[in-house]
Each structure stands twice: as structure tokens, then as C-alpha cells.
Amino acid sequence: MNPDIVKERQNATFNVEKLTNILDGSTEKTRRRREIESMVLNDPDFQEQDPNFLSRSERYDQAVRKSAQMILKLREFGISDPDEIYYYKNCVHPDRPEPLDLHLGMFLPTLLNQATPEQMDRFFTPAWNLQIIGTYAQTEMGHGTHLRGLETTATFDPATQEFVLNSPTISSIKWWPGGLGKTSNHAIVLAQLHTQGNCHGLHAFIVPIRDMDTHVPLPGIVVGDIGPKFGFSEVDNGFLKLENVRIPLDNMLMKYAKVEPDGTYVKPPSAKLTYGTMVFIRSMIVGQSALALAKSCTIAIRYSAVRHQSELKPGEPEPQILNFQTQQHKLFPVLATAYAFTFVGQYMKQTYNRISGDIHAGDYSGLPELHALSAGLKAFTTWAANGAIEVCRMSCGGHGYSRSSALPDIYVEFTPTCTYEGENTVMMLQTARYLLKSYSQARGGQQLQGSVSYLSRLQPQPVSAGVPPLNIQDLASLVQVYQLRAANLVELAATSIQQELQLRRSQEDAWNSSAIDLVRASDAHCHYVVVKLFADKLRQVEDPAVTSVLSTLALLYSLHGIASNSGDFLKAGLLSVPQALQVSAHIKELLIQLRPNAVALVDAFDLNDKRLNSVLGRYDGNVYEHLFEWARHSPLNASEVHESFHKYLKPLRSKL
């Protein structure tokens, strides 16, 4: 153990294990997670070559091998609980995307949510047993987040009781689905349903794309890999062109919407049910944002505890860089955000499960809020995490640039979340529609429920009303000021649209001309939800020492947010200039308070070294020895003299 890291852990003021239990959800969940991690990490079948030293084809091959082993092991050990499968998978592929992601995360859940009992018998069991390997083909080359613009067609032919699927244009070719390029033999295809001369919008269809024995593409199917990306080197993101592909009538997922044998269309109870899989994934992405931040700040904080550099005082030993206030100001807000997003991720998972249960019972009332909340929080958390990962990387100096740190890979694997399952700006605008509708209902006297209930209870404070009393050391006071800021920005967005309409602009033009205000309103709403959920979580914690350190994190998260968005609070009359100065001063005090617990707080995430896969973030802090060892494994070091010397450099001498 590095002596610096030992000392850091000795300085902790709370029990790390108790906090880990809170992050996992219970003592039993921590125990079971570690048991599953041990099963995977000690299994020789999952040993791998360092992907950093492999070609893309080799990385894909290795990932498929491990995924196949994973399925066999899950069957062998009888692991079927979704949380436990998630733990197991994240150890097999340490938080890296892999070829079966969409099969496990979208194909199977879509069947569960949208298939009839008969379709479950036909498709789910073979898919669970990996006879059917599926993907979710929604995005097209020319259309992504704007789902109504998707061009793929599914036209019902009553004479044969079949749908005929086509990609009518070059831009309608399905593009990006993971596992589509080489892995899958089936796809759930989102296509515009045409029957009896009418288009009824997007619906989901199960389409065989490869022969289940030979794996050769079926007639009318043009399919392949789209090539290297920014990251996702182990995933065969693919393209799919459909040329008069015929599938049976009952290959349309018909739990809600239906097409009768004569072509009659039966509407679903709610149009949003078609997008249930996306809502599920968006809810999951919130937790992924928390995990990406937990990994990043674990690496950066542990490294900052053992890295010594520069001088605080001439002639004295170089201090740990974690002792510099600027390093703390970079990293501790990221640490606070990781905790905040972890608790939001827990809430989103619980909310999704609760509302899904209501939907299965025939109650669709919670679906609009779930859609708005998952869209907004997906955007809010991924934007914040994307920037924070880069802060952590740069906080590690030159070594953060090396892939041995794991930070470059965390960044390139996480960044796509800002785009897939809904581009973030569009997601914020979808949340804004819900906020404005709720605001209008509140102004009409309706009592709102859920995350927007504050629009009923509170009216935004005009600047002329003066600054409300704000206690910057009281979390309840901070929750209220975030609430008021959100209400103020929602009203400003609504006012902007009304002003545009008074200029006789169309509703669409008024919306576009107010889009900046709408996104800010959604951002403020999501920020309020995160602060409130952090405060709510503190009331559930029983251990005083853990409560104390979490309270410090919650205050730092809230005050850092005020400092970063001070213009909103000042313009709304929610903050005075003297109060803004107090916020900045108190943030510095909170950095001092957190310093003794920084390493213990990242230890509480309980990220195993193999799963973290970072030389800089090692639990034992022995960075330099292992950095040298890692470098020596580079394929360029396989021989003392590379063949290029004899082929190209040495011949230069004879030409001089």
C-alpha cells in the first residue's frame, strides 16, 4: 500500500462500509453484488487481453467470446434477477459496451413490454436462450431523435396476411443499432405502419435478418457494420436496408396496438406506449451517468492523493496535489455530483418500476410525467457527466492522457449517451412541453402532482419583491431557492411564447423562437429535482457520521450549482450580490471539510480494481510501478528493434 493512500483512509470520519450499503440499496445487496463480482473476476473463462493493445476485430472477437461465456454462466448459476444480471454483465465487460447490449437491454425488454402472450411464447424463450439474438433498429441514417420523421415502411398485405417492409430512400437505411452489424439474427424494427391506405405512425415489428443456422443474411436484407467510431470498438453498430421483406401479420408487436386480418387498425390506449423501451433506457442512463462519474472521480482523487508536485512553500517537500485548493475545486464538485446522480438513478429506477406496474394494471396516468422526467434527467445528467469526466482526466495531468488511466475510454464510451436514445437538446424540449402544459394547468387552478407540484404551490417571485431570506448552510432553504428558480424560468419561457404569438407568429415559430428559454427552463427543473432528491435521501440515512459527510456533499453540490448559474438566481431576485459572495466563500469552506474524507468517499463506491481497470486509480495507490509495467506490454515492445527500422529507416543511410 502506498503510505499516502493509507494515511488518507485513516483520516476518514465515517464508516465506508455503511455508505457503500446506502449506495447499493442495502447490506444484503452489497453482499450479493460482491459475491457476483467475485464469481466473475476469479473465473479464468473471463480472462482477457488488454483491449488497448488489440485491433478492432480482435476486440470484437474477444467481446463475443466473453458474452457467450457470460450467457452459459448465467444459466449455470441460475441468475435471472435483472439487477444480478446487470452486476454480472458489468464485471464481464467492465462497464464497456458489448455486442449483446441491445439484445439484453432493448430487444428482451421490448418483448416483455409490448408482446402478446402468444408472441412471448414464440419469441421470448428462444431469445432468452440465445437462439434468437436480437437488436433494436430504430435510428436511420437520416433521422434519429425525430421519430415521426423515420421513413422505413411496413405495409400490410391482406391477401397474404403479411407486412412488407421497405427502406424507400438512402436516408431510411437503419443506422447505428448495436449488435446489428454481425451479431444479431433478428431485429425489432420501428417502421411507419400503412394499412387500408392510411399511415398510423411508428410501430414495432420483429424481423428475421439472418438464417438462424448459417447466419447468412436473408433475402431482401442488406446488413453490415458501419465501421470504426469515436469509441464502442467492441460493438458492431450496423446498417440495415430492407428490400420488400415480408413478415407474418403476427410479427407486429400487438400487446397494445393491433392490425386485424382485414387490415383494420386498433389504436393503443396511449401513443407513448410505443416508446416504452426508450423511456426504460433513458431511466437507466441516469444511473450510468452516476457510474461514469464515480469511476472518473475515483481515479482522479486517488491519483491526486499519491501524486506529489510543485511547492506550497519553498524548500518543503512537494505536497500531494489533492492539497491544492484548485484541485479540490475541480474534483470535489464532481464527487458531489456523482453522489447526487447515484441517488437520482435510484429514484428513476424505482419510479420506472412503479409506473410500469401501473401501466400493466391499466393505469396510464403516470406515463406523461415518466416520459418528461426520463427525457429531461437523461439530458441533464449526461451533459453534466460528459464535461466532468474531462475535468477528471485533465486533473490527472499528462498521465490522464494515457489510456492506462482508463479516463480516455470512460469518456469515449460515455459521450454517445448525449445523443443516443434522444439527442439532449431535443430531450430538454420534450420536457419543456410537459412543463408548459403543467404550468398552464396550475395557472388554471389545477393542483399538480409529482415533480411539477411546485408550480401549483409557488408563484415565481418578481425581482421587485426583493431577495427572500436564504440560508446557504441550510439544504431546505437551498431546495426552495432552486424551486423558485425553476418556476421563474418556466414562467419566462411561457411568457416568451405568448409574446411571440402576439406578434402573429404560428405556434411552431413561437416555439422555435423561444427554444433557448425552454431548454433553460427544463434544465432548471431537472436541477431542482436533483437537489431535492439529494435532500430527501439524507432524511433516510440513520448513521450520524454518514449523514454529516453526505450533508457536506449535498451543500457543495447545491452551492456549486448556484455559483455556476448565478445569473439565473440574480436576475430572478433570488440572490443578492452579497449572498453570491457568501456562496463562493462557503464553497471554499466545504472543500476544506471534505478534504479528510475524499479518498474514503470514492472508496465507498466499491469499484474493484479489475472493473475500474485504471493504473492511476488503483486501490493500493502504487501507480508508478504499474504504469511502467503496463507500458512494457505494448505490442511495439515485443521486439527490441521494430521491423520498420530495417524496412524504411536503415535504407535511408545508403541514400545519403
Side-chain angles (χ1 to χ4, degrees):
M1 279 284 183
N2 181 291
D4 286 323
I5 210 87
V6 171
K7 184 178 178 182
E8 293 292 332
R9 293 183 174 120
Q10 291 172 344
N11 289 337
T13 64
F14 67 96
N15 185 309
V16 172
E17 184 71 7
K18 289 182 178 180
L19 183 49
T20 298
N21 297 157
I22 292 168
L23 294 173
D24 282 328
S26 71
T27 303
E28 173 57 26
K29 287 184 178 179
T30 297
R31 185 201 65 77
R32 181 57 175 157
R33 173 180 58 76
R34 287 175 178 164
E35 184 178 41
I36 291 171
E37 286 178 352
S38 180
M39 290 165 62
V40 176
L41 299 176
N42 295 323
D43 191 331
D45 288 336
F46 293 123
Q47 289 182 357
E48 65 172 17
Q49 290 180 267
D50 190 328
N52 291 303
F53 300 136
L54 300 178
S55 69
R56 178 165 179 248
S57 181
E58 289 169 334
R59 289 182 70 157
Y60 170 72
D61 184 89
Q62 179 167 266
V64 173
R65 175 186 65 79
K66 291 172 63 182
S67 294
Q69 285 293 329
M70 176 181 71
I71 298 301
L72 292 174
K73 303 283 182 176
L74 289 171
R75 292 176 187 167
E76 178 185 346
F77 298 125
I79 297 174
S80 58
D81 178 80
D83 285 342
E84 295 190 356
I85 292 173
Y86 184 74
Y87 292 151
Y88 199 95
K89 178 181 172 301
N90 275 352
C91 291
V92 174
H93 302 276
D95 305 310
R96 294 195 301 265
E98 53 95 6
L100 291 183
D101 271 351
L102 265 70
H103 176 79
L104 297 170
M106 297 190 78
F107 189 84
L108 291 175
T110 301
L111 292 178
L112 284 170
N113 290 325
Q114 297 191 41
T116 64
E118 184 273 333
Q119 290 173 323
M120 287 290 288
D121 290 339
R122 284 177 56 214
F123 294 112
F124 189 84
T125 300
W128 182 254
N129 292 327
L130 270 292
Q131 294 168 294
I132 288 176
I133 302 174
T135 185
Y136 189 84
Q138 174 176 290
T139 300
E140 297 173 358
M141 190 188 293
H143 290 91
T145 302
H146 179 55
L147 298 180
R148 291 193 300 276
L150 294 178
E151 300 175 84
T152 303
T153 58
T155 304
F156 183 60
D157 180 356
T160 62
Q161 295 291 289
E162 293 174 315
F163 290 103
V164 184
L165 282 88
N166 273 293
S167 305
T169 65
I170 187 71
S171 57
S172 69
I173 295 172
K174 295 296 182 183
W175 201 267
W176 282 113
L180 175 61
K182 294 295 174 185
T183 307
S184 301
N185 56 30
H186 281 67
I188 290 175
V189 174
L190 272 287
Q192 303 286 355
L193 169 63
H194 292 261
T195 181
Q196 296 182 338
N198 296 312
C199 179
H200 296 284
L202 282 185
H203 290 72
F205 302 85
I206 301 175
V207 182
I209 58 175
R210 285 187 171 88
D211 184 276
M212 291 176 64
D213 291 322
T214 66
H215 211 59
V216 172
L218 295 169
I221 299 290
V222 181
V223 64
D225 179 80
I226 65 170
K229 292 87 59 180
F230 186 47
F232 279 55
S233 296
E234 290 155 321
V235 180
D236 53 324
N237 296 87
F239 60 78
L240 173 65
K241 188 173 187 290
L242 300 159
E243 299 175 339
N244 293 313
V245 175
R246 288 180 171 267
I247 59 172
L249 168 62
D250 55 6
N251 273 35
M252 172 180 160
L253 291 176
M254 295 201 208
K255 183 174 183 178
Y256 300 112
K258 294 181 175 64
V259 172
E260 303 289 359
D262 65 355
T264 301
Y265 176 70
V266 181
K267 287 183 178 181
S270 169
K272 287 185 171 64
L273 289 168
T274 305
Y275 312 128
T277 303
M278 286 195 306
V279 172
F280 167 69
I281 295 298
R282 288 170 190 163
S283 300
M284 290 282 289
I285 287 173
V286 176
Q288 291 173 8
S289 299
L291 179 58
L293 285 183
K295 292 170 67 178
S296 300
C297 64
T298 295
I299 295 165
I301 287 174
R302 283 181 180 167
Y303 177 63
S304 296
V306 300
R307 175 75 173 187
H308 291 251
Q309 189 162 299
S310 303
E311 292 179 337
L312 280 174
K313 296 178 182 178
E316 291 190 356
E318 292 182 297
Q320 298 161 278
I321 60 174
L322 198 55
N323 286 341
F324 289 102
Q325 186 186 65
T326 50
Q327 190 78 343
Q328 296 169 13
H329 193 245
K330 292 173 190 174
L331 295 178
F332 292 179
V334 176
L335 176 61
T337 304
Y339 272 87
F341 288 1
T342 298
F343 299 138
V344 176
Q346 292 174 351
Y347 172 82
M348 282 305 300
K349 182 178 177 181
Q350 295 163 1
T351 301
Y352 176 83
N353 290 336
R354 174 176 57 80
I355 294 178
S356 292
D358 293 342
I359 290 170
H360 287 304
D363 178 3
Y364 305 103
S365 60
L367 194 53
E369 183 183 18
L370 177 62
H371 182 268
L373 202 56
S374 64
L377 286 173
K378 179 264 184 188
F380 182 82
T381 58
T382 56
W383 264 334
N386 189 56
I389 295 166
E390 180 66 355
V391 168
C392 290
R393 188 191 68 77
M394 295 189 74
S395 296
C396 293
H399 291 321
Y401 187 66
S402 169
R403 286 173 69 170
S404 66
S405 72
L407 289 165
D409 283 335
I410 295 172
Y411 184 81
V412 299
E413 306 296 6
F414 182 80
T415 292
T417 60
C418 295
T419 305
Y420 66 61
E421 303 315 315
E423 192 278 330
N424 278 0
T425 300
V426 179
M427 292 298 93
M428 283 297 195
L429 289 170
Q430 288 188 11
T431 301
R433 289 190 185 277
Y434 179 74
L435 290 175
L436 261 62
K437 181 178 179 181
S438 300
Y439 178 78
S440 177
Q441 291 170 339
R443 292 296 292 258
Q446 186 172 331
Q447 286 298 310
L448 304 178
Q449 303 296 320
S451 65
V452 293
S453 60
Y454 66 93
L455 293 174
S456 293
R457 298 194 306 271
L458 297 167
Q459 287 301 317
Q461 300 293 310
V463 175
S464 59
V467 179
L470 172 63
N471 183 350
I472 63 173
Q473 299 188 51
D474 177 45
L475 200 52
S477 180
L478 295 174
V479 170
Q480 183 183 35
V481 81
Y482 269 93
Q483 197 177 73
L484 288 163
R485 173 206 178 205
N488 181 267
L489 288 175
V490 170
E491 182 175 64
L492 286 176
T495 301
S496 174
I497 288 179
Q498 289 304 315
Q499 290 172 345
E500 294 292 331
L501 290 173
Q502 288 171 8
L503 296 173
R504 297 185 179 180
R505 294 188 176 171
S506 68
Q507 187 73 40
E508 295 77 12
D509 287 338
W511 182 268
N512 186 47
S513 297
S514 305
I516 295 172
D517 297 324
L518 291 163
V519 170
R520 287 202 63 78
S522 292
D523 184 84
H525 171 71
C526 293
H527 210 161
Y528 154 68
V529 169
V530 175
V531 171
K532 181 179 184 299
L533 290 175
F534 206 155
D536 291 346
K537 187 68 179 184
L538 288 176
R539 290 192 286 272
Q540 302 169 23
V541 179
E542 297 177 356
D543 184 270
V546 173
T547 300
S548 176
V549 73
L550 285 180
S551 296
T552 305
L553 284 172
L555 283 172
L556 178 60
Y557 178 78
S558 304
L559 292 177
H560 187 265
I562 290 175
S564 301
N565 299 277
S566 56
D568 288 347
F569 294 94
L570 288 164
K571 285 188 288 187
L574 302 172
L575 187 71
S576 67
V577 172
Q579 285 174 328
L581 295 173
Q582 290 172 15
V583 166
S584 298
H586 195 54
I587 286 174
K588 295 176 183 177
E589 293 174 14
L590 293 173
L591 299 179
I592 295 170
Q593 291 175 30
L594 283 172
R595 173 63 187 87
N597 284 311
V599 169
L601 282 165
V602 297
D603 284 352
F605 292 127
D606 203 26
L607 292 163
N608 185 284
D609 274 353
K610 288 185 179 179
R611 185 173 170 191
L612 198 59
N613 197 31
S614 169
V615 174
L616 301 191
R618 294 177 58 86
Y619 184 82
D620 63 15
N622 294 323
V623 170
Y624 300 127
E625 302 91 326
H626 291 91
L627 187 58
F628 185 51
E629 179 186 342
W630 184 88
R632 289 173 66 87
H633 283 91
S634 170
L636 285 177
N637 295 324
S639 61
E640 290 296 337
V641 179
H642 193 268
E643 61 181 355
S644 61
F645 172 78
H646 299 288
K647 289 164 63 178
Y648 308 118
L649 299 178
K650 191 173 182 180
L652 285 176
R653 297 176 181 178
S654 63
K655 297 179 181 180
L656 292 177

